[in-house]
Amino acid sequence: MPGGDTGGSPGCWVGNWIVEETEGQVCLQEEAEIQSCTADGGIFGRISLTPGPSPSTSPLSQGAPFPAGSYTFTTFLRNISTNCTSNSAFWKCDPYVTYGSDPINSRAQFHWIITAANTTPTASSDFKISSTNNPFAIKFMDISLVLMHKGTDMERYSFKTQAQKIVYPTGSLATKCFYNLTQFIGNLYTKKRKTLPLGTVASPSNTSSATPTGNSELSAEWEFAVDATQSTGGGANVPDCYQYNEDGIGDNVTFDYEEQGSNDVCSCVYDNYDG
């Protein structure tokens, strides 16, 4: 049965169905067409299951304004810079190959949730963005979105945060490195079309097709352009590396790299558009 079992109480939501108590027998009903009926413990009490809203209008997100919702942001690794470290093996960007060298395997997806403070936000600060569990993504929580270039073709929601990036250097699985002052910047366009992979065309509408917030398994694809950058400058303890094994963090590792200047930047650049 779509939406799970029928054990919910009358009037509640069970998956994408509304459970209502009426008279008669236990029936599964979809679009006024009864599909099956059963008796409940010998006592006939009717429970009609009427289809609820689609995920885009789920009661968990119903009434929430664009861009609130749970989204998948499909990007491609555009560029890698390793200048913050003397050993390029100590800075890595998933999925390790750029779009220019491998358009297929350079694909990287971010899964983020956008929430609204209320159903009628009046300022960009009324929207916040949070990451979900993702093995290659930087983690962050409730970062304010700022609406930029409102009403233009370049309209976008931007955010910036500082977080920790973890890297396991190439050829050194027993080493774990921390970039503790990594800056993460994201731009979520609301009109600009995504063009990667080549031939992709976004919908011209900016009507939210987001799924209920809090359900990472049901995230809608962000239909427009997006870019994201991880970056950090060199300096003392950049990176901050340690021996690593199944027992946890061990001794500090310094012999494989030399300190670089603060203007020497490492970065991972992701986007899904040309120009």
Side-chain angles (χ1 to χ4, degrees), residues 39-125:
D40 184 9
I43 301 175
F44 286 92
R46 181 185 175 90
I47 301 179
S48 66
L49 300 182
T50 306
S54 65
S56 64
T57 56
S58 162
L60 294 180
S61 63
Q62 190 171 20
F66 179 84
S70 177
Y71 296 95
T72 295
F73 298 84
T74 300
T75 67
F76 297 83
L77 179 58
R78 174 72 74 173
N79 186 59
I80 303 171
S81 176
T82 60
N83 294 333
C84 71
T85 173
S86 61
N87 188 337
S88 61
F90 280 72
W91 176 267
K92 295 167 66 177
C93 304
D94 295 276
Y96 314 124
V97 294
T98 62
Y99 185 81
S101 61
D102 191 336
I104 296 177
N105 292 316
S106 60
R107 180 172 179 249
Q109 289 185 315
F110 298 91
H111 303 283
W112 298 331
I113 296 174
I114 300 173
T115 55
N118 52 66
T119 58
T120 57
T122 58
S124 60
S125 59

Side-chain angles (χ1 to χ4, degrees), residues 87 90 169 172 174-178 237-244 249-258:
N87 188 337
F90 280 72
S172 182
T175 302
K176 185 175 185 178
C177 295
F178 300 88
N237 298 317
V238 178
D240 190 18
C241 298
Y242 297 85
Q243 292 179 355
Y244 178 75
I249 298 295
D251 295 333
N252 186 248
V253 176
T254 59
F255 55 84
D256 281 335
Y257 60 90
E258 298 177 359

Side-chain angles (χ1 to χ4, degrees), residues 216-232:
S216 60
E217 296 181 356
L218 295 174
S219 60
E221 180 73 21
W222 184 262
E223 299 178 346
F224 304 96
V226 59
D227 60 63
T229 301
Q230 305 170 8
S231 64
T232 189

